[in-house]
Amino acid sequence: MGHVKEINVLIIVFTEMRDKLRKWREDNHRNSEQIVDVGEELINEHASKLGDDIWIIYEQVMIAALDCSRDDLAWTCLQELKKQFPGSQRVKRLAGMRLEALEKYEDASKQYDSILQDDPTNTAARKRKISILKAQGKSAEAIRELNEYLEQFVGDQEAWHELSELYINEHDYGKAAFCLEELMMTNPHNHLYCEQYAEVKYTQGGLENLELSRKYFAQALKLNNGNMRALFGLYMSASHIAASPKVNATVKKANVKYAAWATNQINRAYQLAGRGTKENKCSVKAVEEMLESMQITMS
Amino acid sequence: MSWRRWLAMGEVELSCLAYVKMYLHACLFPRCSVNGLLLSSSPAGGAVCVTDCVPLLHTHLPLAPITQLALTQVDVWCAQTQQRIVGYYQANACVSDSSPTPCALKIADKIAEQCNNAVLLMIDGGKMSPDYRVPPIVMYERKDTRWTLKDKHTIMLRQWEETRDIASQLLDSGDHSLLVDFDSHLDDITRDWTNQKLNAKIAELASPANGNV
C-alpha cells in the first residue's frame, strides 16, 4: 500500500513540475534559474514520462541554461534536439544562440546567414542577427537593421518595442515616441504602452509635450488604475503645467485639480500599502513629505 | 587592531553596505542597465564617505519622470535621516562598455550642484566574477566641468575581502532577491526601497560575531 502512495506522490511532483514549465513557456517568463532547476530535474529523472513534450522542454531548458552560463546543460539539450530533428532550422537557430552565449558572434552570424540562405523569410534568424549587434554595443547598426526589418514585417510588436527601447537609449525620443504610437494603435488596451509614451513625451519637455504626457498618463490610469508610474506621472505633469507661466488661468486651474486628485490617490495607495507593515514607514512618510515639497501654489 | 587612518582630501571611502547593495543590484538585473544614488551620513567637507546607497532603476534609465520622482523622494528621506546624496552609480547592460552614458553624466551633474565633491561610480560588468581580486568599480570626479577618472589609490574599501565575501554569500543564498530598487517599489509599493531588511542581513554578516571585524 505504501509503495503505491509513494508512486502517486512522485507522479504529483512530476506533473507539477511539467505544468510549471508549461506556464512559464506560455507566459514567456525569463526566470532562467528556476527553469534550469525544474527542467534539469525533469529531464534527468522523468524523461520517459514526458512523451513528445520533451522536445519543447529541451528547447526551453536549453535557452534558460544559456542564460545561466550552464553550457554543459545547454549542450546536452542541443545534442538531443539535433539527433531528433536533423537539419531543422529551429534547432540551427538554437545552435546559433549557444554560439552567441559563448560570445562567438561571427560564428553565430554565419549560422543565421545559412538559415536565411535556405529561408530568407526566417524572422527568428534575422532578429538574432540584430541581437548580436545589440550585444556588441553597435546600437546605430542595430537600429538600422531593425528599421529595415520592420519595413517588411510591420506587424511585429516585439520588434517595435525593441526599437523603442533602442531609441530611448540613444536619447532619440521623437523616434521612440513614433514606435510607441504604432504599438498603442495596435494595442489600444495596453496601459504600459500609454504610460511609456507619456514618459517619453514628458522627457522631451515643453508645454505641448507635457500636456500630451498628462493625457497619456491619464489614459494609462483609465486602463489600469493600479499603475503607480502613471499616477505619479499624472501628478508631475499636471503640476508642471499648472506652474508654467505660459498657461492661462483656466488651464492652470484644471491642472491644479488633476494634480490634487492624483495627490489624493497617491496618499490613499500608500496608506493602504503601509497598513500593518512597519518597514514601510520610511517610504510612506517620504511620499507625504515629497508631495508636500512639490506642491504648487495657485496664484 | 584598528589601522584606521584619516582620509585625506580627495579620497573616497566606500562602505561595505553601499558596495554590497550596488553589486547585488547589478547581479539582480544582469540584462539591464541599473543605476542608483550614493549616500553619506558624514558631515559635508573633507573626504567623501559613502555609507549607503539607494538602488533606483533597471528600466528606461534615460527617461525623466521616474528619475525626477526618485531623486525627490530620496532627497526627502535623506533630510529625515541626516544623510546626503553624494554620488551616483551605474552598471551598463553591455558588459564590455563601462563608460558613463549621457544620462549618467546628467544625473551626476545635478548631484554635483548640491555636493561639490560628488562622485560618479561605474560598475565594470566584465570584472564582477568572484575570481577578480579588486573591486570592479571605476570612479569619476568633477574637475572644472568635466568628469575625469579618479586615481584608484584614492578609493578606499576597508576590509575588501570580507565585503566581497558577504556579497558572494548573499548571492549564493539567493538573498540578493531581497533587494528592492525604486522601479520594483513602483511595481509593488509595499516593497521598501530603503531596504531595511537587506541592510539588517548585511550587518549581521559583517558583525564581529561572524568573524569579521
Coordinates of all heavy atoms in Angstrom, one line a residue, chain B residues 85-169:
Chain B
I85 N 23.0 63.1 -0.4 CA 23.3 62.4 -1.7 C 24.7 62.9 -2.1 O 24.9 64.1 -2.4 CB 22.2 62.7 -2.8 CG1 20.9 62.2 -2.3 CG2 22.6 62.0 -4.1 CD1 19.7 62.6 -3.3
V86 N 25.6 62.0 -2.2 CA 27.0 62.4 -2.6 C 27.5 61.8 -3.9 O 28.6 62.0 -4.3 CB 28.0 62.0 -1.4 CG1 27.7 62.8 -0.2 CG2 28.0 60.5 -1.2
G87 N 26.6 61.0 -4.5 CA 27.1 60.4 -5.8 C 26.1 59.6 -6.5 O 24.9 59.5 -6.0
Y88 N 26.5 59.0 -7.6 CA 25.6 58.2 -8.4 C 26.4 57.0 -8.9 O 27.6 57.1 -9.2 CB 25.2 59.1 -9.6 CG 24.5 58.4 -10.7 CD1 23.1 58.3 -10.7 CD2 25.2 58.0 -11.9 CE1 22.5 57.7 -11.8 CE2 24.6 57.4 -12.9 CZ 23.2 57.3 -12.9 OH 22.6 56.7 -14.0
Y89 N 25.7 55.9 -9.0 CA 26.3 54.7 -9.6 C 25.5 54.1 -10.8 O 24.3 54.3 -10.8 CB 26.6 53.6 -8.6 CG 25.4 52.8 -8.2 CD1 24.9 51.7 -8.9 CD2 24.8 53.1 -7.0 CE1 23.8 51.0 -8.5 CE2 23.7 52.4 -6.5 CZ 23.2 51.3 -7.3 OH 22.1 50.6 -6.9
Q90 N 26.2 53.5 -11.7 CA 25.5 52.9 -12.8 C 26.3 51.6 -13.3 O 27.5 51.6 -13.2 CB 25.4 53.9 -14.0 CG 24.6 53.3 -15.2 CD 24.3 54.4 -16.2 OE1 23.8 55.5 -15.8 NE2 24.7 54.2 -17.4
A91 N 25.6 50.6 -13.7 CA 26.2 49.4 -14.3 C 25.5 49.3 -15.7 O 24.3 49.2 -15.7 CB 26.0 48.2 -13.5
N92 N 26.3 49.3 -16.7 CA 25.7 49.2 -18.1 C 25.3 47.7 -18.4 O 26.0 46.8 -18.0 CB 26.7 49.7 -19.1 CG 26.9 51.2 -19.0 OD1 26.0 51.9 -18.5 ND2 28.0 51.7 -19.4
A93 N 24.2 47.6 -19.2 CA 23.8 46.3 -19.6 C 24.9 45.6 -20.5 O 25.2 44.4 -20.4 CB 22.5 46.3 -20.4
C94 N 25.5 46.5 -21.3 CA 26.6 46.0 -22.2 C 27.9 45.8 -21.4 O 28.5 46.8 -21.1 CB 26.7 46.9 -23.4 SG 27.7 46.2 -24.7
V95 N 28.2 44.6 -21.1 CA 29.3 44.3 -20.2 C 30.7 44.9 -20.7 O 31.6 45.2 -19.9 CB 29.4 42.8 -19.9 CG1 30.7 42.4 -19.4 CG2 28.3 42.4 -19.0
S96 N 30.8 45.0 -22.0 CA 32.1 45.4 -22.5 C 32.3 46.9 -22.4 O 33.4 47.4 -22.8 CB 32.3 44.9 -23.9 OG 31.2 45.4 -24.7
D97 N 31.3 47.7 -22.0 CA 31.4 49.1 -22.0 C 31.1 49.7 -20.6 O 29.9 49.7 -20.3 CB 30.5 49.7 -23.1 CG 30.5 51.2 -23.1 OD1 31.4 51.8 -22.5 OD2 29.5 51.8 -23.6
S98 N 32.1 50.1 -19.9 CA 31.8 50.6 -18.6 C 31.9 52.1 -18.5 O 32.2 52.7 -17.4 CB 32.7 49.9 -17.5 OG 34.0 50.3 -17.8
S99 N 31.8 52.8 -19.7 CA 31.9 54.3 -19.6 C 30.6 54.9 -19.3 O 29.5 54.4 -19.6 CB 32.5 54.8 -20.9 OG 31.8 54.3 -22.0
P100 N 30.6 56.1 -18.6 CA 29.4 56.7 -18.2 C 28.6 57.2 -19.5 O 29.1 57.7 -20.4 CB 29.9 58.0 -17.5 CG 31.3 57.8 -17.2 CD 31.8 56.8 -18.2
T101 N 27.3 56.9 -19.4 CA 26.4 57.3 -20.5 C 26.0 58.7 -20.3 O 26.1 59.3 -19.2 CB 25.1 56.4 -20.5 OG1 24.5 56.6 -19.2 CG2 25.5 55.0 -20.8
P102 N 25.4 59.4 -21.4 CA 25.0 60.8 -21.2 C 24.0 60.9 -20.0 O 24.1 61.9 -19.3 CB 24.2 61.0 -22.5 CG 24.9 60.1 -23.5 CD 25.3 58.9 -22.8
C103 N 23.1 60.0 -19.8 CA 22.2 60.2 -18.7 C 22.9 60.0 -17.3 O 22.6 60.7 -16.4 CB 21.0 59.2 -18.8 SG 21.0 57.7 -17.8
A104 N 24.0 59.2 -17.3 CA 24.8 59.1 -16.0 C 25.4 60.5 -15.7 O 25.4 61.0 -14.6 CB 25.8 58.1 -16.2
L105 N 26.0 61.1 -16.8 CA 26.6 62.4 -16.6 C 25.7 63.5 -16.2 O 25.9 64.3 -15.3 CB 27.3 62.8 -17.9 CG 28.5 61.9 -18.4 CD1 28.9 62.2 -19.8 CD2 29.6 61.9 -17.4
K106 N 24.5 63.4 -16.8 CA 23.4 64.4 -16.5 C 23.0 64.3 -15.0 O 23.0 65.3 -14.3 CB 22.2 64.1 -17.4 CG 21.5 65.3 -17.8 CD 20.5 65.0 -18.9 CE 19.3 65.9 -18.9 NZ 18.2 65.5 -19.7
I107 N 22.8 63.1 -14.5 CA 22.3 63.0 -13.2 C 23.5 63.3 -12.2 O 23.3 64.0 -11.2 CB 21.8 61.6 -12.9 CG1 20.6 61.3 -13.8 CG2 21.4 61.4 -11.4 CD1 20.1 59.8 -13.7
A108 N 24.7 62.9 -12.6 CA 25.8 63.2 -11.7 C 26.1 64.7 -11.7 O 26.4 65.3 -10.6 CB 27.1 62.5 -12.3
D109 N 25.9 65.4 -12.8 CA 26.0 66.9 -12.8 C 25.0 67.5 -11.8 O 25.3 68.4 -11.1 CB 25.6 67.4 -14.2 CG 26.9 67.4 -15.1 OD1 28.0 67.3 -14.6 OD2 26.7 67.5 -16.4
K110 N 23.8 67.0 -11.8 CA 22.7 67.5 -11.0 C 23.1 67.3 -9.5 O 22.9 68.2 -8.7 CB 21.4 66.8 -11.2 CG 20.3 67.7 -11.3 CD 18.9 67.1 -11.6 CE 17.8 67.9 -11.2 NZ 17.7 69.2 -11.0
I111 N 23.7 66.2 -9.2 CA 24.1 65.9 -7.8 C 25.3 66.8 -7.4 O 25.3 67.3 -6.3 CB 24.5 64.4 -7.6 CG1 23.3 63.5 -7.8 CG2 25.1 64.2 -6.3 CD1 23.6 62.1 -7.9
A112 N 26.2 67.0 -8.4 CA 27.3 67.9 -8.1 C 26.9 69.3 -7.8 O 27.7 70.1 -7.1 CB 28.3 67.8 -9.3
E113 N 25.7 69.7 -8.3 CA 25.3 71.1 -8.0 C 25.1 71.3 -6.5 O 25.3 72.4 -6.0 CB 23.9 71.3 -8.7 CG 24.0 71.7 -10.2 CD 22.7 71.8 -10.9 OE1 21.6 71.9 -10.1 OE2 22.6 71.6 -12.1
Q114 N 24.7 70.2 -5.8 CA 24.4 70.3 -4.4 C 25.6 69.8 -3.5 O 25.6 70.0 -2.3 CB 23.2 69.4 -4.0 CG 21.9 69.8 -4.8 CD 21.4 71.2 -4.4 OE1 21.5 71.6 -3.2 NE2 20.8 71.9 -5.3
C115 N 26.5 69.1 -4.2 CA 27.5 68.4 -3.4 C 28.8 68.5 -4.2 O 29.0 67.8 -5.2 CB 27.2 67.0 -3.1 SG 28.6 66.0 -2.5
N116 N 29.7 69.4 -3.8 CA 30.8 69.7 -4.7 C 31.9 68.7 -4.8 O 32.8 68.8 -5.7 CB 31.4 71.1 -4.5 CG 31.9 71.3 -3.0 OD1 32.1 70.3 -2.3 ND2 32.1 72.5 -2.6
N117 N 32.0 67.7 -3.9 CA 32.9 66.6 -4.3 C 32.2 65.3 -4.6 O 32.6 64.2 -4.2 CB 34.0 66.4 -3.2 CG 33.5 66.4 -1.8 OD1 32.3 66.3 -1.6 ND2 34.4 66.6 -0.9
A118 N 31.1 65.4 -5.3 CA 30.3 64.3 -5.7 C 31.1 63.3 -6.5 O 32.0 63.7 -7.2 CB 29.1 64.7 -6.5
V119 N 30.7 62.0 -6.5 CA 31.4 61.0 -7.3 C 30.5 60.3 -8.2 O 29.3 60.2 -7.9 CB 32.1 60.0 -6.4 CG1 33.3 60.6 -5.7 CG2 31.2 59.3 -5.4
L120 N 31.0 59.9 -9.3 CA 30.3 59.1 -10.3 C 31.0 57.8 -10.3 O 32.2 57.7 -10.6 CB 30.3 59.8 -11.7 CG 29.9 59.1 -12.9 CD1 28.5 58.5 -12.8 CD2 29.9 60.0 -14.1
L121 N 30.2 56.7 -10.1 CA 30.8 55.4 -10.0 C 30.2 54.5 -11.1 O 29.0 54.4 -11.2 CB 30.5 54.8 -8.6 CG 31.3 53.6 -8.1 CD1 31.3 53.6 -6.6 CD2 30.6 52.3 -8.6
M122 N 31.1 53.9 -11.9 CA 30.6 52.9 -12.8 C 31.1 51.5 -12.4 O 32.2 51.3 -12.0 CB 31.2 53.2 -14.2 CG 30.7 54.6 -14.8 SD 29.0 54.7 -15.1 CE 28.7 53.5 -16.3
I123 N 30.1 50.6 -12.5 CA 30.5 49.2 -12.1 C 30.9 48.5 -13.4 O 30.3 48.6 -14.4 CB 29.3 48.4 -11.5 CG1 28.8 49.1 -10.2 CG2 29.6 47.0 -11.3 CD1 27.6 48.5 -9.6
D124 N 32.1 47.9 -13.4 CA 32.7 47.3 -14.5 C 32.1 45.8 -14.6 O 32.7 44.9 -14.0 CB 34.2 47.3 -14.5 CG 34.8 46.9 -15.8 OD1 34.1 46.2 -16.6 OD2 36.0 47.2 -16.0
G125 N 31.1 45.6 -15.4 CA 30.5 44.3 -15.5 C 31.4 43.2 -15.9 O 31.2 42.1 -15.5
G126 N 32.4 43.5 -16.7 CA 33.3 42.5 -17.1 C 34.2 42.0 -16.0 O 34.9 40.9 -16.1
K127 N 34.3 42.7 -14.9 CA 35.2 42.3 -13.8 C 34.5 41.8 -12.5 O 35.0 41.9 -11.4 CB 36.2 43.4 -13.5 CG 36.9 43.9 -14.7 CD 38.2 44.7 -14.3 CE 39.1 44.8 -15.5 NZ 38.9 46.1 -16.2
M128 N 33.2 41.4 -12.7 CA 32.4 41.1 -11.5 C 32.5 39.7 -11.0 O 32.0 39.4 -9.9 CB 31.0 41.4 -11.8 CG 30.6 42.9 -11.6 SD 29.0 43.3 -12.0 CE 28.1 42.6 -10.6
S129 N 33.2 38.8 -11.7 CA 33.2 37.5 -11.2 C 34.1 37.3 -9.9 O 35.0 38.2 -9.7 CB 33.8 36.5 -12.3 OG 35.1 36.9 -12.6
P130 N 33.8 36.3 -9.1 CA 34.5 36.2 -7.8 C 36.0 36.1 -7.9 O 36.7 36.3 -6.9 CB 33.8 35.0 -7.2 CG 33.0 34.4 -8.2 CD 32.8 35.3 -9.3
D131 N 36.5 35.6 -9.0 CA 38.0 35.5 -9.1 C 38.7 36.8 -9.3 O 40.0 36.8 -9.2 CB 38.4 34.4 -10.1 CG 37.4 34.2 -11.2 OD1 36.2 34.0 -10.9 OD2 37.9 34.2 -12.4
Y132 N 38.0 37.9 -9.5 CA 38.7 39.2 -9.6 C 39.1 39.6 -8.2 O 38.2 39.7 -7.3 CB 37.8 40.2 -10.3 CG 38.1 40.2 -11.8 CD1 37.3 39.5 -12.7 CD2 39.2 40.9 -12.3 CE1 37.5 39.5 -14.0 CE2 39.5 40.8 -13.7 CZ 38.6 40.2 -14.5 OH 38.9 40.1 -15.9
R133 N 40.3 40.0 -8.0 CA 40.7 40.4 -6.6 C 40.6 41.8 -6.3 O 40.8 42.2 -5.2 CB 42.1 39.9 -6.4 CG 42.1 38.3 -6.3 CD 43.5 37.7 -6.1 NE 44.3 38.0 -7.3 CZ 45.6 38.2 -7.2 NH1 46.2 38.3 -6.0 NH2 46.3 38.5 -8.2
V134 N 40.2 42.6 -7.3 CA 40.0 44.1 -6.9 C 38.5 44.4 -7.2 O 37.8 43.8 -8.0 CB 40.9 45.0 -7.8 CG1 42.3 44.8 -7.3 CG2 40.7 44.8 -9.2
P135 N 38.0 45.5 -6.5 CA 36.6 45.8 -6.7 C 36.4 46.3 -8.2 O 37.2 47.0 -8.7 CB 36.5 47.1 -5.8 CG 37.6 47.0 -4.8 CD 38.7 46.3 -5.5
P136 N 35.3 45.8 -8.8 CA 35.0 46.0 -10.2 C 34.4 47.4 -10.4 O 33.3 47.5 -10.9 CB 34.0 44.9 -10.5 CG 33.3 44.7 -9.3 CD 34.3 44.8 -8.2
I137 N 35.0 48.4 -9.9 CA 34.5 49.8 -10.0 C 35.5 50.8 -10.5 O 36.7 50.6 -10.4 CB 33.9 50.3 -8.6 CG1 35.1 50.3 -7.6 CG2 32.8 49.4 -8.1 CD1 34.6 50.8 -6.2
V138 N 34.9 51.8 -11.2 CA 35.7 52.9 -11.8 C 35.0 54.1 -11.3 O 33.8 54.3 -11.4 CB 35.6 52.8 -13.3 CG1 36.5 53.9 -13.9 CG2 36.1 51.5 -13.8
M139 N 35.8 55.0 -10.7 CA 35.2 56.3 -10.2 C 35.6 57.5 -10.9 O 36.8 57.6 -11.4 CB 35.6 56.4 -8.7 CG 34.5 56.1 -7.8 SD 34.8 56.8 -6.2 CE 34.2 55.5 -5.2
Y140 N 34.7 58.4 -11.0 CA 35.0 59.7 -11.7 C 34.7 60.8 -10.7 O 33.8 60.8 -9.9 CB 34.1 59.9 -12.9 CG 34.3 58.9 -14.0 CD1 33.8 57.6 -13.9 CD2 35.1 59.2 -15.1 CE1 34.0 56.6 -14.9 CE2 35.2 58.2 -16.1 CZ 34.7 57.0 -16.0 OH 34.9 56.0 -17.0
E141 N 35.5 61.9 -10.8 CA 35.2 63.1 -10.0 C 35.1 64.3 -11.0 O 35.7 64.2 -12.1 CB 36.3 63.3 -9.0 CG 37.7 63.5 -9.6 CD 38.8 63.6 -8.6 OE1 38.5 63.7 -7.4 OE2 39.9 63.5 -9.1
R142 N 34.5 65.4 -10.5 CA 34.3 66.5 -11.3 C 35.5 67.5 -11.2 O 35.7 68.0 -10.1 CB 33.0 67.2 -11.0 CG 32.5 67.9 -12.1 CD 31.0 68.1 -12.1 NE 30.8 69.0 -13.2 CZ 29.8 69.8 -13.2 NH1 28.9 69.8 -12.3 NH2 29.6 70.7 -14.2
K143 N 36.2 67.7 -12.3 CA 37.3 68.7 -12.3 C 36.9 69.7 -13.4 O 36.7 69.4 -14.5 CB 38.6 68.0 -12.7 CG 39.2 67.2 -11.6 CD 40.7 67.4 -11.4 CE 41.1 66.9 -10.1 NZ 41.6 65.5 -10.2
D144 N 36.7 71.0 -12.9 CA 36.1 72.0 -13.8 C 34.7 71.6 -14.1 O 33.9 71.3 -13.3 CB 36.9 72.4 -15.0 CG 38.4 72.7 -14.6 OD1 38.5 73.5 -13.7 OD2 39.3 72.2 -15.3
T145 N 34.4 71.4 -15.4 CA 33.1 70.9 -15.7 C 33.0 69.5 -16.3 O 32.0 69.0 -16.8 CB 32.4 71.9 -16.8 OG1 33.3 72.0 -17.9 CG2 32.1 73.2 -16.2
R146 N 34.2 68.8 -16.2 CA 34.2 67.5 -16.8 C 34.4 66.4 -15.7 O 35.1 66.7 -14.7 CB 35.3 67.4 -17.9 CG 35.1 68.5 -19.0 CD 36.2 68.5 -20.0 NE 36.1 67.4 -20.9 CZ 37.1 66.6 -21.2 NH1 38.3 66.9 -20.6 NH2 37.0 65.6 -22.0
W147 N 33.9 65.3 -16.0 CA 34.1 64.2 -15.1 C 35.3 63.4 -15.6 O 35.4 62.9 -16.7 CB 32.8 63.3 -15.2 CG 31.7 63.9 -14.5 CD1 30.7 64.6 -15.1 CD2 31.3 63.8 -13.1 NE1 29.8 65.0 -14.2 CE2 30.2 64.6 -13.0 CE3 31.9 63.3 -12.0 CZ2 29.6 64.8 -11.7 CZ3 31.3 63.5 -10.8 CH2 30.2 64.2 -10.6
T148 N 36.3 63.4 -14.7 CA 37.5 62.7 -15.0 C 37.8 61.5 -14.1 O 37.3 61.5 -12.9 CB 38.7 63.7 -14.8 OG1 38.7 64.3 -13.6 CG2 38.7 64.8 -15.9
L149 N 38.5 60.6 -14.7 CA 38.8 59.3 -13.9 C 39.6 59.6 -12.7 O 40.5 60.4 -12.7 CB 39.7 58.5 -14.9 CG 39.5 57.0 -14.8 CD1 38.0 56.6 -14.9 CD2 40.2 56.4 -16.0
K150 N 39.2 59.0 -11.6 CA 39.8 59.2 -10.3 C 41.0 58.1 -10.2 O 40.8 57.0 -10.5 CB 38.8 59.0 -9.2 CG 38.9 60.0 -8.1 CD 37.7 59.8 -7.2 CE 38.1 60.1 -5.7 NZ 38.8 61.4 -5.6
D151 N 42.0 58.5 -9.6 CA 43.1 57.6 -9.3 C 42.6 56.5 -8.3 O 42.0 56.8 -7.3 CB 44.3 58.4 -8.6 CG 45.4 57.5 -8.2 OD1 45.4 56.3 -8.5 OD2 46.3 58.1 -7.6
K152 N 42.8 55.3 -8.7 CA 42.2 54.2 -7.9 C 42.8 54.1 -6.5 O 42.2 53.5 -5.6 CB 42.1 52.8 -8.6 CG 43.4 52.4 -9.3 CD 43.1 51.0 -9.7 CE 43.9 50.4 -10.8 NZ 43.8 50.9 -12.1
H153 N 44.0 54.7 -6.3 CA 44.5 54.7 -5.0 C 43.8 55.6 -4.0 O 44.1 55.6 -2.8 CB 46.0 55.0 -5.1 CG 46.8 54.0 -5.8 ND1 47.3 54.3 -7.1 CD2 47.1 52.7 -5.6 CE1 47.9 53.1 -7.5 NE2 47.8 52.2 -6.7
T154 N 43.0 56.5 -4.6 CA 42.2 57.4 -3.7 C 40.9 56.8 -3.3 O 40.1 57.4 -2.6 CB 42.0 58.7 -4.3 OG1 41.3 58.5 -5.5 CG2 43.3 59.4 -4.7
I155 N 40.6 55.5 -3.7 CA 39.3 54.9 -3.4 C 39.6 53.9 -2.3 O 40.3 52.9 -2.5 CB 38.7 54.2 -4.6 CG1 38.5 55.3 -5.7 CG2 37.4 53.6 -4.3 CD1 38.2 54.6 -7.1
M156 N 39.0 54.1 -1.2 CA 39.2 53.1 0.0 C 38.0 52.2 0.2 O 36.9 52.7 0.3 CB 39.4 53.9 1.3 CG 40.5 55.0 1.2 SD 42.1 54.2 1.0 CE 43.0 55.5 0.1
L157 N 38.3 51.0 0.2 CA 37.2 50.0 0.5 C 37.8 49.2 1.7 O 38.7 48.3 1.5 CB 37.0 49.1 -0.6 CG 35.6 49.2 -1.3 CD1 35.7 48.8 -2.7 CD2 34.5 48.5 -0.6
R158 N 37.4 49.5 2.9 CA 38.0 48.8 4.0 C 37.6 47.3 4.0 O 36.4 47.0 3.7 CB 37.6 49.4 5.3 CG 38.0 50.9 5.4 CD 38.0 51.5 6.8 NE 38.1 52.9 6.7 CZ 39.3 53.5 6.6 NH1 40.4 52.8 6.5 NH2 39.4 54.8 6.5
Q159 N 38.4 46.5 4.4 CA 38.1 45.0 4.5 C 37.4 44.5 3.2 O 36.3 44.0 3.2 CB 37.1 44.8 5.7 CG 37.9 44.6 7.0 CD 37.3 45.6 8.0 OE1 36.2 46.2 7.9 NE2 38.1 45.8 9.0
W160 N 38.1 44.7 2.1 CA 37.6 44.4 0.8 C 37.2 42.9 0.7 O 36.2 42.6 0.2 CB 38.6 44.8 -0.2 CG 38.4 44.1 -1.5 CD1 39.3 43.3 -2.2 CD2 37.2 44.0 -2.4 NE1 38.8 42.7 -3.3 CE2 37.5 43.2 -3.5 CE3 36.0 44.6 -2.3 CZ2 36.5 42.9 -4.5 CZ3 35.0 44.4 -3.3 CH2 35.3 43.5 -4.3
E161 N 38.1 42.0 1.2 CA 37.8 40.6 1.1 C 36.6 40.2 1.8 O 35.8 39.4 1.3 CB 39.0 39.8 1.6 CG 40.0 39.4 0.5 CD 41.4 39.9 0.8 OE1 41.7 40.1 2.0 OE2 42.2 40.1 -0.1
E162 N 36.4 40.8 3.0 CA 35.2 40.4 3.8 C 34.0 40.9 3.0 O 33.0 40.3 2.9 CB 35.3 41.1 5.2 CG 36.1 40.3 6.2 CD 37.6 40.8 6.1 OE1 37.9 41.5 5.2 OE2 38.4 40.3 7.0
T163 N 34.1 42.2 2.5 CA 33.0 42.8 1.8 C 32.6 41.9 0.6 O 31.4 41.6 0.3 CB 33.3 44.2 1.3 OG1 33.6 45.0 2.4 CG2 32.2 44.8 0.5
R164 N 33.6 41.5 -0.1 CA 33.4 40.7 -1.3 C 32.8 39.4 -1.0 O 31.9 38.9 -1.6 CB 34.8 40.5 -2.0 CG 34.7 39.8 -3.4 CD 36.0 39.2 -3.8 NE 36.6 38.4 -2.7 CZ 37.9 38.1 -2.6 NH1 38.7 38.6 -3.4 NH2 38.3 37.2 -1.7
D165 N 33.2 38.8 0.2 CA 32.6 37.5 0.6 C 31.2 37.7 1.0 O 30.4 36.8 0.8 CB 33.5 36.9 1.8 CG 34.8 36.5 1.3 OD1 35.0 36.3 0.1 OD2 35.7 36.3 2.2
I166 N 30.9 38.7 1.7 CA 29.5 39.0 2.1 C 28.6 39.0 0.8 O 27.5 38.4 0.8 CB 29.3 40.3 2.9 CG1 30.0 40.1 4.3 CG2 27.9 40.7 3.0 CD1 30.1 41.4 5.1
A167 N 29.0 39.7 -0.2 CA 28.3 39.8 -1.4 C 28.1 38.5 -2.0 O 27.0 38.1 -2.5 CB 29.0 40.8 -2.4
S168 N 29.1 37.7 -2.1 CA 29.0 36.3 -2.6 C 28.1 35.4 -1.9 O 27.3 34.7 -2.4 CB 30.4 35.6 -2.6 OG 31.3 36.3 -3.5
Q169 N 28.2 35.6 -0.5 CA 27.3 34.8 0.3 C 25.8 35.1 0.0 O 25.0 34.2 -0.1 CB 27.5 35.1 1.8 CG 28.5 34.1 2.5 CD 28.6 34.4 4.0 OE1 29.3 35.3 4.4 NE2 27.8 33.7 4.8

